[in-house]
Amino acid sequence: MKNMSKTLLLFLIAAMFTSCNNSTSGLESITEPIAYTPDGKCTIDLMDAKTQEQLDSLRSFCDTIFIRRVVNVYKDTVYDDTIFTGNEKYTSLIYLDRKTDKYDTLTNFTAEKSGDSGPCDSVPIYCTLDSSDVKKTFSCTQASICRSRMPLMRQAEIVKVRLPDPVTRTRTSVCSQPGYRCVIDTVYHTFHTTYRTKTRDTTFLNYGPTAWTDYIPAVNAPAFDTAAFRNALDTLDTQNEIFGMDTLLTGYSISVEGLPEWVLDPNKILCPQNDSLVICYKITTKYRPYGVAYTYPTPYTQSRFVLRNNLKSPLEKDTLITWKLKYSYDEGNSFKNNTDSLTITTLFRGI
């Protein structure tokens, strides 16, 4: 009991001493840490340039220097008004791809005249309409040369400036140092601007409620008729000038490999001998259309394909020959995947 009374007495004496000290030293009372405020005297911007003297001055009355970084976020866009800067004219049409037997749509700027070029991803279309016949038709072309959007050359200008006096620029690396604290303030804004656009007029040539006609142009070449060629070249008669071939029409270029000299290839050079005089000539018949690149429709002109008999007399017996027929279509709209070959086995009948 005595010990408890003694302890209580010592506690009361200590409390009285502390109260006395606080009442006699009010000007030296403990200061609370300064709280962060965006525009406070102890706040500096992340990109502020401060001399060491300025930083030391801040440290004299700031327990903590706040390094502030502002992140501006434009959350919403408000169009205060609308301005029409011009009018754009487009042409749209449906066409048939003969190769795939499928329809596709082409829409692009309307060219003022034939051959007008433009960006490579948007070459304008020039169309000629023809209503002289019972059925309205048209033909359209796109320039084969376009303009790239890539810059041709970049230039850099070198500017020499005098550096200012040495300063200490605050960086996020000081955040880990005692007496510094980095804070991020996100400020949300509404972006006000003017909506600029162009009116768009589209001429629908052959589809839609305002279509000018229901005519549909075709492009490319149809798939090569391999079955017709195999059937016609399966058996040939050497007693006939053209081996008794069935009529074969095609718009493809054709060449042959592996046939004997007495089978006349239309592209083969001939050098017949007449007494002591040798005369060479070349047959240059081409089985291909005369189209211009990027045209709707693509011309597809068919010609007859034949092999001519160059024998002086028919073969004495039947002969089986395996050879190769190559075909290609590389005109018109420059569509690809129209080149291939056939391996054919032909029975040439003799007498």
Side-chain angles (χ1 to χ4, degrees), residues 325-338:
L325 181 146
K326 295 182 177 181
Y327 60 89
S328 64
Y329 179 81
D330 51 6
E331 297 292 337
N333 281 41
S334 298
F335 290 98
K336 298 180 180 179
N337 303 321
N338 281 340

Side-chain angles (χ1 to χ4, degrees), residues 62-203:
C62 294
D63 294 326
T64 302
I65 295 177
F66 296 94
I67 301 173
R68 182 188 185 219
R69 177 188 175 192
V70 177
V71 177
N72 293 298
V73 177
Y74 289 89
K75 193 174 182 180
D76 299 307
T77 300
V78 175
Y79 295 101
D80 298 320
D81 56 356
T82 301
I83 295 178
F84 292 97
T85 58
N87 177 265
E88 293 179 334
K89 294 182 179 181
Y90 287 79
T91 298
S92 185
L93 61 102
I94 291 176
Y95 64 91
L96 170 67
D97 187 337
R98 295 188 184 104
K99 175 73 175 181
T100 61
D101 200 29
K102 293 182 179 179
Y103 294 92
D104 205 347
T105 303
L106 174 69
T107 302
N108 232 321
F109 290 106
T110 301
E112 295 296 328
K113 61 183 184 299
S114 179
D116 277 359
S117 184
C120 291
D121 57 350
S122 185
V123 181
I125 310 168
Y126 179 79
C127 296
T128 301
L129 309 183
D130 184 3
S131 58
S132 60
D133 204 349
V134 176
K135 186 177 182 65
K136 295 179 179 179
T137 61
F138 61 86
S139 61
C140 300
T141 60
Q142 283 184 295
S144 57
I145 300 176
C146 60
R147 300 193 301 268
S148 173
R149 296 183 186 271
M150 295 295 291
L152 297 178
M153 180 175 62
R154 293 182 182 273
Q155 292 183 337
E157 182 180 358
I158 300 175
V159 179
K160 295 181 179 180
V161 297
R162 181 180 179 276
L163 294 177
D165 295 334
V167 297
T168 301
R169 186 174 292 277
T170 55
R171 289 288 185 267
T172 53
S173 58
V174 302
C175 296
S176 59
Q177 297 181 14
Y180 292 92
R181 180 183 172 189
C182 288
V183 293
I184 297 177
D185 283 347
T186 302
V187 180
Y188 293 95
H189 304 272
T190 297
F191 182 68
H192 290 264
T193 187
T194 297
Y195 182 69
R196 299 177 183 275
T197 186
K198 295 181 179 181
T199 58
R200 177 170 176 166
D201 293 334
T202 303
T203 299

